[in-house]
């Protein structure tokens, strides 16, 4: 999420996320199902939160994201499912929609 100041690498057409040690953002593998990009991320360390309220997770966390264009690419539907059998009673999902503003990319700079 570049808007928040970080990015990640998604290995396309990989069978599953792979990594030697748990990391802050895990390891992501993506594949196309029609026009939907499905990204599975695992291999997280347990030092991050699931949300802005500090909900914890374990190293067993797996996040699946389904990203698909709507209305000819004017919108993106972003479905996220978090599954962590050590912390969550059942998988938790939510949906976000994003609207394309213009065909321009602006640099995000954070000054401390």
């Amino acid at each position: 999420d570049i808007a928040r100041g970080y990015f990640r690498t998604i290995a396309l057409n990989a069978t599953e996320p792979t990594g030697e040690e748990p990391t802050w953002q895990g390891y992501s593998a993506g594949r196309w199902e029609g026009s939907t990009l499905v990204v599975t991320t695992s291999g997280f360390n347990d030092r991050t939160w699931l949300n802005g309220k500090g909900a914890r997770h374990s190293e067993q966390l797996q996040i699946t994201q389904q990203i698909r264009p709507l209305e000819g690419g004017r919108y993106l539907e972003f479905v996220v499912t978090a599954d962590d059998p050590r912390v969550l009673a059942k998988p938790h999902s939510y949906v976000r929609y994003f609207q394309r503003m213009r065909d321009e990319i602006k640099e995000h700079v954070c000054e401390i």
Side-chain angles (χ1 to χ4, degrees):
D1 181 334
I2 294 174
R4 291 189 179 153
Y6 64 89
F7 64 92
R8 66 186 166 146
T9 300
I10 300 171
L12 289 177
N13 300 319
T15 55
E16 61 184 54
T18 58
E20 294 179 19
E21 295 184 27
T23 67
W24 293 89
Q25 294 185 39
Y27 299 93
S28 298
R31 68 185 183 285
W32 289 100
E33 293 182 2
S35 64
T36 301
L37 177 60
V38 179
V39 180
T40 303
T41 305
S42 60
F44 293 96
N45 62 36
D46 61 357
R47 298 179 196 152
T48 59
W49 298 340
L50 280 174
N51 60 25
K53 296 182 180 186
R56 305 294 296 172
H57 66 82
S58 76
E59 289 184 356
Q60 292 183 11
L61 173 66
Q62 179 170 303
I63 294 179
T64 302
Q65 299 163 306
Q66 297 172 309
I67 306 161
R68 70 183 181 121
L70 301 174
E71 294 187 26
R74 185 173 178 205
Y75 298 93
L76 280 180
E77 178 184 65
F78 197 80
V79 180
V80 179
T81 302
D83 188 9
D84 187 339
R86 289 187 63 201
V87 177
L88 301 172
K90 63 180 183 175
H92 174 74
S93 296
Y94 65 89
V95 180
R96 297 278 192 271
Y97 295 93
F98 297 93
Q99 180 179 1
R100 175 181 277 172
M101 300 303 288
R102 292 202 167 130
D103 289 333
E104 63 183 69
I105 298 175
K106 295 182 180 180
E107 182 178 5
H108 176 77
V109 178
C110 178
E111 295 183 20
I112 298 177

